[in-house]
Amino acid sequence: MSDANETLSNLAHENRTFAPSAEFAAQANAKADLYDQAEADRLGFWATQARGLDWETDFAEVLDWSNPPFAKWFVGGTLNVAYNCVDRHVHSGHGDQVAIRFEGEPGDQRNVTYRELLGEVSKAANALTALGITAGDRVVIYMPMIVEAVVAMLACARIGAPHSVVFAGFSAEALRSRIDDASAKLVITADGQNRRGNVMSLKPAVDEAVASCPSVNSVLVVKRCGNDVTWGEKDVWWHEFVESQSPEHTPQAFDSEHPLFILYTSGTTGKPKGILHTTGGYLTQVTYTHRNVFDLKPETDVFWCTADIGWVTGHSYIVYGPLANRATQVIYEGTPDAPAKDRWWDIVERHGVTILYTAPTAIRTFMKWGDEFPESHDLSSLRLLGSVGEPINPEAWIWYRRVIGGDRCPIIDTWWQTETGAMMISPLPGVTATKPGSAMRALPGIGVAIVDDAGSPLGNGSGGFLVLTEPWPAMLRGIWGDNQRFIDTYWSKWPQYYFAGDGAKFDDDGAIWLLGRVDDVMNVSGHRISTTEVESALVSHPSVAEAAVVGAADETTGQAIVAFVILRGGLEGADGTSLVATLRNHVATEIGPIAKPRQVMIVPELPKTRSGKILRRLLQDIAEHRSIGDSTTLADPAVMNLISAGLESSSTDD
Ligand code: WT7
């Protein structure tokens, strides 16, 4: 390390800022005083946020932190999550407001009002009870992005049965291990889902998984595609069984700390962790962040979060946050390129979407496809754009703002995790002058620090480890069945802090820049350089659509930077040799000679997990000339062959 005060080198600089327009600021839900309120009385602030929900019994204490890291929020309070997301809107006279504007991939559409949603959720709750599910029983949901998936989650919440949603792209084995770990009694699924014009069947994976899971008593199956299914004695059709139930159901209030759901995070190594979330604190923070960060206006907005319900983003910002705030939202079943690469923009135009929340990986894909697809649609309904899931490169941010947001929409880059349950670091759209690529600062009520190895807080201009300094309402309450692993994973490096696993830096103005997972840090000649910064520098070159950077063992420098680059649409035939030299120099100019990649490899694709995270480990295998390791978590297993084949013909310089 060249400088003892600097844990991670602060190399890249970004001077552009974008303040909200006066019109946006004037109408915003969150004003600057929100920070002052939270600072003056943090727990009182959270109590106020919590009281925006309907509690059956008010809570007696805001936070019990007497047994860290096991928090209890809103102690003694009782409430029903489904009542808060559905019933109360009908009771307040908004039963006819559309809750969900569903669009299937083949083009089928269905609008569901809050009144209709109440009927559907009530029938499903009655069906679950009839199948023997009672409060505390675990239910696994393995479903496409269809209305019934939301109904199933709310029905579980309504009867106090924690759900565990498993992404429908996961294999039978991944499903089996999650059913088994949670000892689930019921699996809710569908016959199949529509993907890129084809029917992908889901039921066979469930059949295979359930065959070796004795805890499962029944399998409830939605008929989505009408594909052939094998029928067993545990199987029950949704359209027969749920539809025949009474649409009346009286919700019961549960303790604020009653388990709401388990969600397994993949993790790069080891068995998946079942992240446990509970009722009152979780609902408080997702509702608060959804209202203030998205600036949601229930009367006029059309909200669209493009995540899958299989990820935490879908839990917090499709199901619980939006519905608790009485949003009208779009749910789309399929892929962005079905039937053509303008499908999302077609949806935005036809549904009049005003708020769009998506991931950098999608944004960079659209950049790669070319501006003509968004430009062929009227996107003027949009008024706010959000990003989540990984650092967004300044270049992708600027493209998002210009091409999708017409230079008029604030962009909120929201940092959070499955474990945090809700957003933690983000601009407030009517308050913050944003910098492209920065998540800016902790939200009101949230405590964040960046620390060095010894756990000492760092100031502006330095980088280190991102930690959370105060318990927060939506925090995970543990890892299902493994409290020790909860302590070891998140609370052992510095016992007074929650360690998120991410590197981050404060720039000279105190804005927070996320630098990726700390294991994505390279050490070049004693400088710790973040892969994110080098990737951003590459993507800022006009010929680059996407980049992934790894550190490869190097005799001279310890590690050397190796970059894998996808070119923008239309440039596939470019002269590789001169482009490689140009890109290496470009990084040297943007960041400094220390960050100049030893090699730049031009590739057709990058290896990504199903949630869009780049598997740098596999690229490192290539960079270090090893045979390629375990690639079973890749979204597309063929990608590694594609990359290797392409490299034989591409130039690698030096
Ligand atoms: C990890 C959590 C949060 C829902 C989706 C991902 C990375 C997330 C950002 C952001 C930079 C981000 C972090 C974090 N991450 N949002 N705005 N900027 N990095 O949930 O699968 O639990 O992943 O995603 O590395 O730790 P997850």
Side-chain angles (χ1 to χ4, degrees):
M1 187 103 0
S2 49
D3 177 350
N5 286 325
E6 202 166 43
T7 304
L8 204 63
S9 296
N10 176 18
L11 295 171
H13 291 278
E14 174 60 64
N15 298 317
R16 293 170 285 191
T17 59
F18 296 85
S21 67
E23 300 76 56
F24 195 102
Q27 61 81 62
N29 292 348
K31 306 285 201 294
D33 67 337
L34 210 59
Y35 292 107
D36 307 329
Q37 289 168 25
E39 208 145 300
D41 175 9
R42 201 178 87 89
L43 294 182
F45 172 82
W46 282 119
T48 305
Q49 302 311 322
R51 291 206 167 96
L53 300 173
D54 272 33
W55 295 77
E56 166 94 10
T57 324
D58 193 16
F59 45 91
E61 191 187 358
V62 180
L63 169 67
D64 175 356
W65 190 232
S66 58
N67 181 31
F70 300 93
K72 291 191 177 130
W73 280 88
F74 310 119
V75 184
T78 67
L79 73 170
N80 186 285
V81 168
Y83 178 88
N84 274 278
C85 290
V86 188
D87 307 43
R88 66 168 173 158
H89 307 318
V90 178
H91 297 170
S92 67
H94 300 94
D96 292 332
Q97 183 183 326
V98 173
I100 297 174
R101 303 172 67 104
F102 170 76
E103 183 161 322
E105 196 188 78
D108 53 314
Q109 299 197 22
R110 176 181 172 197
N111 282 349
V112 183
T113 65
Y114 275 96
R115 191 188 323 285
E116 288 163 343
L117 188 61
L118 176 57
E120 298 293 313
V121 172
S122 298
K123 282 190 274 183
N126 285 324
L128 264 51
T129 305
L131 290 171
I133 304 301
T134 57
D137 289 342
R138 275 81 59 202
V139 175
V140 163
I141 296 176
Y142 183 71
M143 292 177 85
M145 288 297 294
I146 54 177
V147 173
E148 288 84 350
V150 177
V151 170
M153 290 167 75
L154 290 168
C156 288
R158 195 171 184 92
I159 64 168
H163 55 68
S164 165
V165 181
V166 178
F167 175 57
F170 275 136
S171 66
E173 172 51 28
L175 176 62
R176 188 206 59 75
S177 69
R178 286 159 175 76
I179 295 173
D180 185 55
D181 190 73
S183 305
K185 268 192 173 175
L186 169 70
V187 178
I188 309 180
T189 189
D191 53 357
Q193 62 180 333
N194 296 299
R195 294 309 277 177
R196 230 171 246 125
N198 297 315
V199 171
M200 217 182 86
S201 51
L202 288 176
K203 180 87 175 12
V206 178
D207 295 343
E208 193 183 328
V210 167
S212 50
C213 289
S215 65
V216 175
N217 297 329
S218 353
V219 178
L220 187 54
V221 189
V222 173
K223 188 176 235 166
R224 168 64 184 146
C225 297
N227 49 308
D228 285 340
V229 291
T230 311
W231 209 244
E233 47 185 40
K234 293 181 180 177
D235 297 336
V236 182
W237 280 117
W238 177 289
H239 63 271
E240 291 172 3
F241 195 70
V242 175
E243 288 311 314
S244 66
Q245 303 291 323
S246 157
E248 307 287 330
H249 180 272
T250 309
Q252 176 196 341
F254 293 98
D255 189 88
S256 180
E257 284 299 334
H258 187 80
L260 178 62
F261 66 85
I262 304 167
L263 184 59
Y264 288 84
T265 57
S266 37
T268 35
T269 50
K271 157 175 164 217
K273 301 179 284 233
I275 304 300
L276 175 65
H277 284 287
T278 61
T279 297
Y282 173 81
L283 194 63
T284 295
Q285 196 178 332
V286 296
T287 307
Y288 153 74
T289 49
H290 181 264
R291 185 176 56 250
N292 290 299
V293 177
F294 290 119
D295 192 46
L296 185 91
K297 307 286 194 283
E299 316 290 339
T300 46
D301 275 317
V302 178
F303 177 78
W304 186 21
C305 165
T306 66
D308 191 282
I309 48 144
W311 312 121
V312 73
T313 309
H315 286 59
S316 301
Y317 300 109
I318 293 176
V319 182
Y320 296 113
L323 296 177
N325 282 326
R326 189 166 50 84
T328 295
Q329 69 177 317
V330 169
I331 292 184
Y332 169 56
E333 178 190 30
T335 63
D337 54 353
K341 288 175 175 161
D342 67 342
R343 181 63 182 266
W344 279 22
W345 317 120
D346 180 42
I347 290 174
V348 168
E349 180 174 8
R350 278 187 292 104
H351 292 274
V353 172
T354 60
I355 304 171
L356 178 70
Y357 191 36
T358 192
T361 181
I363 297 166
R364 288 192 303 263
T365 301
F366 293 125
M367 279 174 76
K368 186 167 61 186
W369 286 349
D371 297 5
E372 63 268 31
F373 300 104
E375 276 170 359
S376 65
H377 291 277
D378 177 3
L379 306 182
S380 61
S381 57
L382 289 169
R383 68 180 194 93
L384 186 141
L385 303 174
S387 172
V388 63
E390 51 176 323
I392 173 164
N393 329 77
E395 223 49 38
W397 195 103
I398 293 284
W399 183 89
Y400 195 28
R401 182 179 157 91
R402 181 176 57 82
V403 180
I404 306 304
D407 277 327
R408 98 196 144 257
C409 306
I411 296 187
I412 44 141
D413 174 9
T414 61
W415 179 90
W416 58 295
Q417 308 178 295
T418 304
E419 292 87 339
T420 69
M423 296 168 184
M424 303 294 281
I425 305 176
S426 166
L428 287 177
V431 178
T432 317
T434 51
K435 299 188 182 192
S438 170
M440 300 306 295
R441 63 179 285 195
L443 285 168
I446 300 299
V448 164
I450 298 174
V451 301
D452 66 13
D453 244 326
S456 309
L458 299 168
N460 291 359
S462 352
F465 304 97
L466 182 72
V467 296
L468 303 174
T469 57
E470 304 280 357
W472 63 100
M475 68 194 290
L476 75 166
R477 299 301 196 269
I479 293 178
W480 184 256
D482 200 344
N483 282 342
Q484 192 55 47
R485 192 171 176 202
F486 170 52
I487 296 168
D488 294 347
T489 309
Y490 305 105
W491 303 90
S492 60
K493 197 165 164 69
W494 305 283
Q496 73 276 32
Y497 298 136
Y498 169 92
F499 174 45
D502 284 348
K505 71 177 191 191
F506 286 120
D507 69 13
D508 295 337
D509 304 322
I512 298 173
W513 294 75
L514 274 305
L515 298 173
R517 307 292 299 173
V518 288
D519 35 29
D520 292 340
V521 167
M522 302 170 291
N523 193 323
V524 182
S525 307
H527 294 271
R528 296 190 60 169
I529 298 175
S530 134
T531 53
T532 300
E533 288 187 332
V534 181
E535 286 163 5
S536 289
L538 285 162
V539 176
S540 74
H541 191 276
S543 47
V544 176
E546 268 201 272
V549 162
V550 298
D554 186 280
E555 281 188 3
T556 328
T557 57
Q559 276 189 319
I561 300 176
V562 178
F564 295 80
V565 162
I566 303 182
L567 299 180
R568 285 233 196 164
L571 277 171
E572 287 82 359
D575 173 5
T577 319
S578 62
L579 198 54
V580 163
T582 306
L583 293 178
R584 292 180 66 231
N585 291 330
H586 178 70
V587 175
T589 317
E590 288 291 301
I591 303 185
I594 182 72
K596 185 174 184 173
R598 183 184 73 188
Q599 282 169 277
V600 174
M601 310 202 195
I602 292 167
V603 293
E605 272 309 331
L606 291 170
K608 288 183 190 158
T609 64
R610 292 172 196 273
S611 58
K613 298 212 194 313
I614 292 168
L615 278 173
R616 291 195 178 68
R617 185 168 52 76
L618 298 179
L619 294 174
Q620 203 157 12
D621 289 340
I622 293 185
E624 299 186 335
H625 309 290
R626 272 192 304 274
S627 59
I628 292 161
D630 181 18
S631 58
T632 49
T633 53
L634 277 180
D636 176 5
V639 156
M640 290 314 291
N641 294 335
L642 210 62
I643 294 174
S644 306
L647 287 179
E648 281 158 27
S649 57
S650 111
S651 59
T652 58
D653 213 64
D654 286 21

